[in-house]
C-alpha cells in the first residue's frame, strides 16, 4: 500500500479528501484515508476520536484497508 501524508496549517482534511478521490478515479487503484474528521477503510467510514489515532488503532485501520483492497492511503500527518 502506498501512503500519502498531508501536512500544513490549514486545508489538510480537504486536500486529503480530494487526493483520495483522484486516486480512486484512477483505474486499478483504491484509496482509504485518515483525517481529523473520519477514517475510510474502503468499506466503512467512522470517527476515530483522535486528531491522529494511536498506533494500535492505526494498525487496525491499515489492516482493514489492505483487506478491502486499498492500494493507497492518504493521511493527515
Amino acid at each position: 500500500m502506498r501512503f500519502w501524508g498531508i501536512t500544513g496549517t490549514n486545508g489538510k482534511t480537504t486536500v486529503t479528501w480530494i487526493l483520495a478521490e483522484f486516486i480512486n478515479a484512477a483505474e486499478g487503484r483504491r484509496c482509504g484515508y485518515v483525517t481529523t474528521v473520519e477514517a475510510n477503510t474502503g468499506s466503512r467510514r467512522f470517527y476515530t476520536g483522535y486528531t491522529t489515532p494511536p498506533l494500535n488503532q492505526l494498525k487496525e485501520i491499515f489492516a482493514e484497508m489492505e483487506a478491502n483492497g486499498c492500494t493507497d492511503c492518504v493521511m493527515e500527518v
Side-chain angles (χ1 to χ4, degrees), residues 11-38:
K12 292 182 298 297
T13 300
T14 301
V15 171
T16 298
W17 284 333
I18 291 169
L19 180 55
E21 288 301 313
F22 275 116
I23 293 169
N24 280 323
E27 189 174 329
R29 306 268 296 272
R30 187 164 186 194
C31 186
Y33 58 79
V34 180
T35 71
T36 56
V37 177
E38 67 182 357

Side-chain angles (χ1 to χ4, degrees), residues 33-50:
Y33 58 79
V34 180
T35 71
T36 56
V37 177
E38 67 182 357
N40 181 337
T41 64
S43 66
R44 67 184 181 114
R45 293 167 39 177
F46 58 95
Y47 178 65
T48 64
Y50 297 96

